[in-house]
């Protein structure tokens, strides 16, 4: 449970309260007309909600039995009382706009807003009561022999077996709402084949669709997901489609190219992402491909919760061929309840053939995901005009707050670093900025605890001045909310979501002042804390750094490359102090795409202190374990590794007082690598690998290492699943590449081993530019390349590399080693995996060129900057070059015949 932050920590001054309170009561004269418009709009929505209830009372009057008359009469009387309050406010606004002086209008209209909120609070209860009353006297399963109403049974039409049987299947309230939803919100899409189906929640709607596609309609067919996607959706999708292909935020052209290449039968995407990065996807490009190029049956599933169907383009579904099915999924707990969120619900709108509708309806009944009649009865009637007006208010408020937060970030006076929001609007609806934005704090403050501290501070400030703000998930309501999202999922890093409500412009301006104050307060509250880098320091360096300045402790000595003093070795080996590994652009003969506007650069990680890229995660994993107190009384470190990771661990461990290092390796380890491990003083444990008679009958290497790590006195960092592995790359390597390319990097090419390098570097880079493409490379089956793993061997890797990669290639052994030779003979000292990353990048660029996308990207961005990682040195693998390539790649060796002989 989160403990609220004490307000005493920030010592809120009375002057701040007075200033913020004044913002609520003062509206500039030039904004008076806008304020009146807002008041009228609020009242119109309240009036609409009341009329829905009054109409329901009238419709039900003829079907109420005697014992229930009093209940309905009491309910109608309650609604009529609310209607009278609403009418009084309408009259007040009219008189205020005509006769009141400007100085009086602001206070009166704020009171109107508060009365609207009070009426809506009562309406929340009324709508819930309406839903309960609809089924209060209803029997769940009437007798089939009767075709007329039974006593106390409100079913007054003929009873059809199974359809009106158990309420898990269907009921009249659901069918009525489904028809109204399709008529009001979907008619403009241009299809006469659409039907709506409501479920008990948005996630139930999505899982119902995935079940039907995966198990009943498209069983065994390939599926593709366009990332980023709401983390719960991608979690479900990967469960239903284990071989799901995932594309990372592609452009429309790239998306079509991949669709042509992969030919999926199922395509999943969000219309607008409900993720850490808020953006609009090119789902129309998917529909164009399906309509014009797909010859097989195709289903396109679009989660339109963040871009509701009324805002979708007119005629979107018009003219689609018979082989194309389109399914929209929305949560009804968002915009559609007009700020009241009394019940959960989800809606599916499917454009497909009648036979598919029949199949889908039966599948939904079997799953039992139908909404209850009490819940559907609590939903307001669908109304396109009112919903659009509501979303216009959300969008305006989102834009105001997002632009203000961006200004805070530019000023660098607080903890806010960046904001992600629907800046450019949605496809076909440029004014729609949504109601959600993502706030990222500066890196030193980016923890769940400080995110929550920030949101709690906002609520405390708001409470002091009477501004309505709350904590809690979801969006589309009257009051703005803040909440930390995805704090425990492996599919996405936590982020702070802010969902803007339908507050007035004056209230939003007050909210901006509150956010500004909280932004500064949280920064001041942590001003005396150590820099985040010190959390990664070994014991002795951390102790010195707390008492010395940065200069005195050597933290800037990387500029002079001189590390002096008793703790010089600790400072030298800390990645925070690494001099930037060189980034070297390839010459024309190594870059066949230079004339196309492509620049290719090698990041030479063999030139860091331990001469390999794995020194970064080795340090990170041990330092964070030390910070958590996990290295107390530990004298042995063990890892499933045969080269760079365990070599680096053996050196870094001594900084933390651990003297002995053990490596678990396959029995077939190359003699040169075995000697290298022993050279570094590492104890080697042989393990049955592929080809050994005991292989597959013993636990994997990683599990064996983990078992040792659970023994007292031992620690196993666990490079394949330890989040401190990618965290080190995100912290130290990604900012370095960003700075060296001056923020121009567009493509990154990496290998797949633990996948920590690619996931961490990409995370750090995409925090700065979410559109960076990532090329993931791994060896072909049976063609080993030292370091990376074959695709089949990635099953025990827990880092979500598939979510990160834009595209992936399986590279041949000869191609990788040969590419490495090209590099090293020109002075780029990259080993076999470096050659694989280089060759994979060239293959990617060739595909971009052949598709025509390369020139478009160059034209849009100028030169296309591409970086591939050189993770290893060629020197430990000399024998393997000759084994992989034979003699044809190497000069002849000429025997001595005559001393004076010339060629």
């Amino acid at each position: 449970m989160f403990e609220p932050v004490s307000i005493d920590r920030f010592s809120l001054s009375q002057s701040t309260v007075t200033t913020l309170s004044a913002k609520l009561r003062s509206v500039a004269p030039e904004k008076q007309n806008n304020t009146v418009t807002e008041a009228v709009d609020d009242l119109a929505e309240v009036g609409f909600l009341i009329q829905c209830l009054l109409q329901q009372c009238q419709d039900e009057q003829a079907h109420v039995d005697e014992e229930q008359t009093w209940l309905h009469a009491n309910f109608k009387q309650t609604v009529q009382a609310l209607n009278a309050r609403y009418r009084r406010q309408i009259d007040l606004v009219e008189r205020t706009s005509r006769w009141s002086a400007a100085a009086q209008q602001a206070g009166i209209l704020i009171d109107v807003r508060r009365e609207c909120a009070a009426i809506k609070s009562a309406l929340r209860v009324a709508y819930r009561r309406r839903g309960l009353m609809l089924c209060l006297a209803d029997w769940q399963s009437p007798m089939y022999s009767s075709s007329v109403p039974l006593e106390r049974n409100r079913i007054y039409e003929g009873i059809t077996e199974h359809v009106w049987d158990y309420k898990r299947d269907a009921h009249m309230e659901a069918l009525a709402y489904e028809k109204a939803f399709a008529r009001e919100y979907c008619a403009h899409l241009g299809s006469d084949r659409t039907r709506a189906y409501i479920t008990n929640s948005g996630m139930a709607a999505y899982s119902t669709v995935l079940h039907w596609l995966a198990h009943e309609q498209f069983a065994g067919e390939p599926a593709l997901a366009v990332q980023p996607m709401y983390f719960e959706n991608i979690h479900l999708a990967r469960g239903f489609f284990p071989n799901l292909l995932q594309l990372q935020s592609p452009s429309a052209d790239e998306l079509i190219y991949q669709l042509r290449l992969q030919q999926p039968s199922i395509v999943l995407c969000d219309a607008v992402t409900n993720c850490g990065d808020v953006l609009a996807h090119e789902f129309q490009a998917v529909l164009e491909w399906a309509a014009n190029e797909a010859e097989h049956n195709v289903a396109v599933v679009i989660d339109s919760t963040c871009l509701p169907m009324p805002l979708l383009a007119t005629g979107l579904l018009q003219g689609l061929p018979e082989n194309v099915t389109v399914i929209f999924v929305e949560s009804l707990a968002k915009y559609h309840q007009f700020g009241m969120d009394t019940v959960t619900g989800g809606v599916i709108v499917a454009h497909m053939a009648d036979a598919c509708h029949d199949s889908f309806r039966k599948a939904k009944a079997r799953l039992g995901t139908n909404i209850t009649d009490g819940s559907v009865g609590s939903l307001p009637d669908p109304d396109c005009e009112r919903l659009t007006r509501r979303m216009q208010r959300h969008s305006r408020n989102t834009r105001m707050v997002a632009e203000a937060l961006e200004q805070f970030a530019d000023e660098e006076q607080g903890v806010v670093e960046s904001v992600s929001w629907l800046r450019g609007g949605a496809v076909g609806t440029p004014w729609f900025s949504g109601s959600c934005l993502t706030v990222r704090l500066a890196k030193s403050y980016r923890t769940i605890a400080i995110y929550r501290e920030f949101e709690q501070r906002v609520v405390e400030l708001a409470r002091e001045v009477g501004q309505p703000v709350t904590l809690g998930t979801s969006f589309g309501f009257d009051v703005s909310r803040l909440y930390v999202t995805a704090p425990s999922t492996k599919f996405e890093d936590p982020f702070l979501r802010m969902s803007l409500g339908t507050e007035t412009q004056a209230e939003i301006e007050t909210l901006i002042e509150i956010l500004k104050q909280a932004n500064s307060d949280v920064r001041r509250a942590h001003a005396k804390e150590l820099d985040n880098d010190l959390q990664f320091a070994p014991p002795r360096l951390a102790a010195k750094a707390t008492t010395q300045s940065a200069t005195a402790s050597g933290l800037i000595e990387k500029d002079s490359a001189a590390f002096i003093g008793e703790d010089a070795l600790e400072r030298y080996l800390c990645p925070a102090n690494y001099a930037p590994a060189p980034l070297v652009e390839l010459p024309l003969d190594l870059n066949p795409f230079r004339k196309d506007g492509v620049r290719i650069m090698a990041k030479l990680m063999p030139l860091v202190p331990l001469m390999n890229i794995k020194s970064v995660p080795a340090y990170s994993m041990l330092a964070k374990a030390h910070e958590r107190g996990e290295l107390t009384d530990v004298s042995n470190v063990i890892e499933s590794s045969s080269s760079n990771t365990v070599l680096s661990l053996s050196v870094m461990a001594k900084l933390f007082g651990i003297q002995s290092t053990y490596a678990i390796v396959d029995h077939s380890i190359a003699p040169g690598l075995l000697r290298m491990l022993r050279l570094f003083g590492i104890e080697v444990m042989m393990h049955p690998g592929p080809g050994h008679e005991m292989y597959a009958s013993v636990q994997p290497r990683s599990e064996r290492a983990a078992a040792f790590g659970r023994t007292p006195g031992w620690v196993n960092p666990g490079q394949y699943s330890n989040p401190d592995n990618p965290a080190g790359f995100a912290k130290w390597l990604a900012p370095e590449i960003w700075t060296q390319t001056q923020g121009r990097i567009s493509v990154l090419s990496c290998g797949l081993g633990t996948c920590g390098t690619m996931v961490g570097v990409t995370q750090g880079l995409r925090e700065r530019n979410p559109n960076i493409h990532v090329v993931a490379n791994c060896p072909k089956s049976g063609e080993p390349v030292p370091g990376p793993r074959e695709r089949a061997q990635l099953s025990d890797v827990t880092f979500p590399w598939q979510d990160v990669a834009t595209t992936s290639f399986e590279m041949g052994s000869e191609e990788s080693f040969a590419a490495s030779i090209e590099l090293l003979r020109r002075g780029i000292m990259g080993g076999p995996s470096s050659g694989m990353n280089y060759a994979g990048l060239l293959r990617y660029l060739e595909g971009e060129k052949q598709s025509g996308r390369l020139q478009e990207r160059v034209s849009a961005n100028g030169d296309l900057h591409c970086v591939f990682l050189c993770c290893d040195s060629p020197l430990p693998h000399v024998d393997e070059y000759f084994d992989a390539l034979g003699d044809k790649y190497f000069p002849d060796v000429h025997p001595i015949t005559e001393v004076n002989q010339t060629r």
Side-chain angles (χ1 to χ4, degrees):
M1 177 67 72
F2 171 62
E3 293 294 332
V5 180
S6 170
I7 196 168
D8 294 336
R9 179 174 185 179
F10 301 96
S11 60
L12 179 64
S13 67
Q14 185 58 43
S15 62
T16 301
V17 175
T18 302
T19 301
L20 296 179
S21 297
K23 294 285 287 186
L24 279 174
R25 282 284 173 183
S26 64
V27 179
E30 63 270 18
K31 296 176 182 175
Q32 291 301 318
N33 290 336
N34 185 51
T35 306
V36 173
T37 301
E38 289 176 329
V40 172
D41 204 41
D42 289 338
L43 286 169
E45 185 171 274
V46 168
F48 155 72
L49 293 170
I50 291 174
Q51 288 305 310
C52 289
L53 292 178
L54 290 174
Q55 184 63 48
Q56 180 70 26
C57 291
Q58 182 176 341
D59 293 343
E60 287 293 310
Q61 194 67 40
H63 308 292
V64 177
D65 60 41
E66 293 183 3
E67 294 186 20
Q68 298 296 324
T69 300
W70 68 270
L71 182 61
H72 282 262
N74 176 268
F75 178 68
K76 186 175 182 179
Q77 185 177 5
T78 300
V79 178
Q80 287 172 337
L82 292 175
N83 191 40
R85 291 172 64 182
Y86 153 72
R87 291 290 181 186
R88 285 195 294 272
Q89 297 305 308
I90 285 285
D91 181 63
L92 179 59
V93 169
E94 183 178 2
R95 287 187 286 109
T96 299
S97 62
R98 288 185 177 184
W99 309 113
S100 297
Q104 297 175 314
Q105 281 188 8
I108 294 173
L109 294 175
I110 287 174
D111 290 338
V112 170
R113 168 76 175 176
R114 288 172 177 165
E115 175 65 0
C116 278
I119 296 174
K120 266 204 166 181
S121 181
L123 284 172
R124 287 171 60 91
V125 178
Y127 267 87
R128 197 74 179 107
R129 283 181 62 188
R130 180 181 80 161
L132 294 172
M133 286 167 55
L134 285 171
C135 54
L136 194 61
D138 195 6
W139 290 17
Q140 182 179 14
S141 182
M143 296 170 56
Y144 297 142
S145 60
S146 175
S147 61
V148 295
L150 300 175
E151 184 180 358
R152 297 176 180 268
N153 191 326
R154 65 175 300 274
I155 292 182
Y156 44 87
E157 296 180 0
I159 299 166
T160 304
E161 183 175 352
H162 190 67
V163 174
W164 302 124
D165 197 3
Y166 297 101
K167 295 300 182 64
R168 65 166 196 164
D169 301 333
H171 50 82
M172 290 185 297
E173 282 73 32
L175 289 183
Y177 188 89
E178 288 167 354
K179 291 177 181 178
F181 189 98
R183 180 178 61 252
E184 187 69 17
Y185 293 144
C186 307
H188 69 293
L189 298 179
S191 169
D192 58 0
R193 296 193 287 146
T194 57
R195 295 183 194 171
Y197 305 88
I198 55 175
T199 62
N200 53 43
S201 71
M203 294 312 302
Y206 204 73
S207 60
T208 299
V209 171
L210 294 185
H211 165 83
W212 181 68
L213 292 173
H215 299 300
E216 303 202 23
Q217 193 68 17
F218 288 85
E221 296 293 325
L224 178 149
V226 183
Q227 291 278 64
M229 179 185 288
Y230 178 49
F231 68 90
E232 296 285 13
N233 285 1
I234 193 64
H235 183 89
L236 280 174
R238 290 174 66 167
F240 279 99
F241 304 101
N243 298 318
L244 182 71
L245 178 66
Q246 298 171 66
L247 300 180
Q248 186 69 37
S249 57
S251 65
D253 289 341
E254 181 180 357
L255 180 56
I256 290 179
Y257 169 76
Q258 290 292 340
L259 292 170
R260 290 169 179 166
L261 182 67
Q262 305 296 336
Q263 290 296 309
S265 294
I266 302 166
V267 182
L268 312 174
C269 67
D270 294 350
V272 170
T273 59
N274 183 13
C275 304
D277 294 318
V278 181
L279 54 90
H281 275 315
E282 301 284 355
F283 67 91
Q284 287 182 307
V286 179
L287 297 181
E288 291 174 9
W289 164 79
N292 300 323
E293 300 185 37
E295 297 180 356
H296 56 293
N297 290 331
V298 176
V300 180
V301 181
I302 302 169
D303 187 331
S304 54
T305 296
C306 295
L307 179 63
M309 278 174 272
L311 303 188
L312 298 179
T314 299
L316 181 68
L317 303 178
Q318 194 166 5
L320 289 179
E322 292 287 332
N323 64 309
V324 178
T325 292
V326 182
I327 302 175
F328 298 98
V329 177
E330 289 187 10
S331 168
L332 291 177
K334 316 297 184 190
Y335 302 104
H336 299 283
Q337 294 193 49
F338 297 93
M340 296 191 299
D341 67 310
T342 59
V343 291
T344 60
V347 66
I348 303 161
V349 173
H351 160 90
M352 54 191 176
D354 288 342
C356 292
H357 279 296
D358 184 59
S359 170
F360 182 80
R361 180 182 60 79
K362 293 175 181 177
K364 175 172 166 287
R366 283 192 294 272
L367 286 172
T369 55
N370 185 47
I371 194 170
T372 63
D373 45 4
S375 292
V376 72
S378 302
L379 292 170
D381 296 345
D383 187 286
C384 189
E385 180 181 356
R386 288 258 42 93
L387 189 63
T388 303
R389 291 286 297 170
R390 181 176 185 82
M391 289 187 288
Q392 288 171 342
R393 180 83 71 89
H394 280 300
S395 293
R396 183 206 62 185
N397 292 350
T398 298
R399 182 172 295 276
M400 287 178 64
V401 171
E403 290 175 347
L405 287 171
E406 288 178 335
Q407 183 177 349
F408 300 167
D410 291 341
E411 294 170 353
E412 297 183 351
Q413 297 299 310
V415 294
V416 173
E417 181 182 81
S418 63
V419 186
S420 179
W421 58 294
L422 204 59
R423 182 192 309 272
V427 177
T429 315
W431 60 263
F432 184 63
S433 299
S435 63
C436 291
L437 55 85
T438 296
V439 181
R440 293 200 186 278
L441 303 186
K443 200 162 190 180
S444 297
Y445 304 93
R446 204 174 296 162
T447 67
I448 292 176
I450 297 180
Y451 273 134
R452 286 178 169 161
E453 188 174 300
F454 179 84
E455 67 180 11
Q456 185 70 25
R457 183 61 180 145
V458 172
V459 172
E460 288 171 347
L461 285 166
R463 187 183 302 123
E464 288 292 323
V465 298
Q467 172 80 7
V469 177
T470 188
L471 304 179
T473 60
S474 202
F475 53 89
F477 306 135
D478 293 342
V479 175
S480 294
R481 298 184 175 203
L482 292 90
Y483 50 98
V484 180
T485 300
S488 60
T489 175
K490 65 180 181 179
F491 295 102
E492 185 162 14
D493 291 332
F495 56 90
L496 179 63
R497 164 64 52 75
M498 187 168 188
S499 61
L500 277 302
T502 59
E503 292 93 343
T504 64
Q505 185 166 330
E507 288 174 319
I508 290 297
E509 289 173 351
T510 303
L511 178 58
I512 289 171
E513 294 297 320
I514 290 170
L515 291 168
K516 184 176 182 179
Q517 185 75 35
N519 183 45
S520 301
D521 287 350
V522 175
R523 174 75 171 262
R524 284 198 303 271
H526 293 272
K528 295 182 180 180
E529 295 183 9
L530 295 175
D531 182 85
N532 194 44
D533 280 341
L534 297 180
Q535 297 176 5
F536 285 82
R540 187 163 60 163
L541 178 57
K544 289 181 72 69
T546 59
T547 57
Q548 297 180 356
S549 68
T551 303
S553 65
L555 292 179
I556 63 170
E557 288 176 334
K558 63 182 179 182
D559 296 330
S560 62
F563 296 85
I564 309 299
E566 61 177 347
D567 59 347
L569 188 60
E570 287 95 329
R571 298 197 310 274
Y572 168 66
L573 293 174
C574 176
N577 301 323
Y578 285 3
L583 185 75
V584 181
E585 184 169 4
L586 301 189
L588 289 176
D589 59 310
L590 293 178
N591 180 3
F593 301 98
R594 187 64 190 95
K595 294 181 180 178
D596 298 305
V598 176
R599 305 180 71 172
I600 299 178
M601 285 152 274
K603 179 65 173 173
L604 301 180
M605 293 307 293
L607 298 182
V608 298
L610 293 186
M611 302 178 65
N612 76 80
I613 198 170
K614 295 297 187 179
S615 63
V616 173
Y619 189 96
S620 177
M621 290 187 291
L622 289 173
K624 294 301 279 186
H626 163 72
E627 181 186 330
R628 294 188 293 266
E630 296 170 1
L631 301 186
T632 304
D633 298 327
V634 168
S635 55
N636 305 286
V637 62
I638 187 167
E639 187 59 88
S640 172
S641 168
S642 59
S643 56
N644 290 334
T645 299
V646 74
L647 292 178
S648 299
L649 283 171
S650 70
V651 173
M652 299 299 189
K654 292 180 174 63
L655 302 179
F656 297 89
I658 303 173
Q659 298 302 315
S660 300
T661 302
Y662 292 77
I664 300 182
V665 305
D666 283 345
H667 76 285
S668 58
I669 183 175
L673 282 178
L674 181 59
R675 290 177 178 172
M676 182 76 74
L677 297 178
R678 298 174 66 193
L679 178 67
F680 275 74
I682 298 170
E683 298 274 355
V684 179
M685 297 180 179
M686 293 293 191
H687 187 83
H692 192 281
E693 61 181 5
M694 293 176 62
Y695 181 64
S697 65
V698 296
Q699 62 186 151
R701 282 167 43 187
S702 58
E703 293 183 13
R704 185 179 174 190
F708 272 100
R710 292 188 289 270
T711 304
W714 292 73
V715 66
N716 167 229
Q719 61 174 327
Y720 296 104
S721 59
N722 189 334
D724 300 327
N725 176 348
F729 289 112
K731 180 177 179 60
W732 289 308
L733 184 53
E736 188 173 292
I737 294 174
W738 181 262
T739 300
Q740 289 177 317
T741 61
Q742 297 180 331
R744 297 176 183 172
I745 179 174
S746 294
V747 181
L748 176 71
S749 181
C750 303
L752 298 173
T754 68
C755 302
T757 306
M758 187 186 77
V759 170
V761 174
T762 302
Q763 175 188 337
L765 291 174
R766 283 185 176 157
E767 288 175 353
R768 296 160 171 84
N769 176 8
N771 298 317
I772 289 175
H773 290 211
V774 177
V775 181
N777 307 288
C778 62
K780 285 183 179 178
S781 178
E783 299 189 30
V785 175
R789 315 172 93 196
E790 297 176 11
R791 190 181 292 268
Q793 296 175 328
L794 295 173
S795 58
D796 61 344
V797 172
T798 62
F799 304 127
W801 70 269
Q802 291 174 306
D803 297 350
V804 169
T806 305
T807 189
S808 62
F809 297 114
E810 295 186 47
M811 309 299 296
S813 178
E814 180 175 352
E815 185 178 9
S816 300
F817 278 88
S820 171
I821 285 179
E822 288 189 64
L823 295 171
L824 66 88
R825 288 178 180 173
R826 295 301 309 279
I828 304 295
M829 295 297 286
S833 70
S834 307
M836 182 186 71
N837 294 340
Y838 168 54
L841 176 59
L842 296 182
R843 186 184 295 186
Y844 167 79
L845 292 170
E846 181 61 30
E848 294 290 282
K849 184 174 181 178
Q850 293 299 324
S851 69
R853 292 191 304 275
L854 183 60
Q855 189 56 46
E856 292 178 10
R857 294 176 66 185
V858 170
S859 300
N861 305 317
D863 287 346
L864 191 72
H865 289 66
C866 306
V867 175
F868 69 94
L869 294 185
C870 291
C871 301
D872 60 347
S873 166
L875 299 181
H877 308 289
V878 172
D879 291 342
E880 292 165 87
Y881 280 90
F882 287 86
D883 293 339
L885 300 177
D887 289 337
K888 64 180 178 178
Y889 281 87
F890 306 97
D892 293 335
V893 177
H894 302 283
I896 298 176
T897 54
E898 297 180 13
V899 175
N900 296 324
Q901 179 182 3
T902 59
R903 296 189 66 176

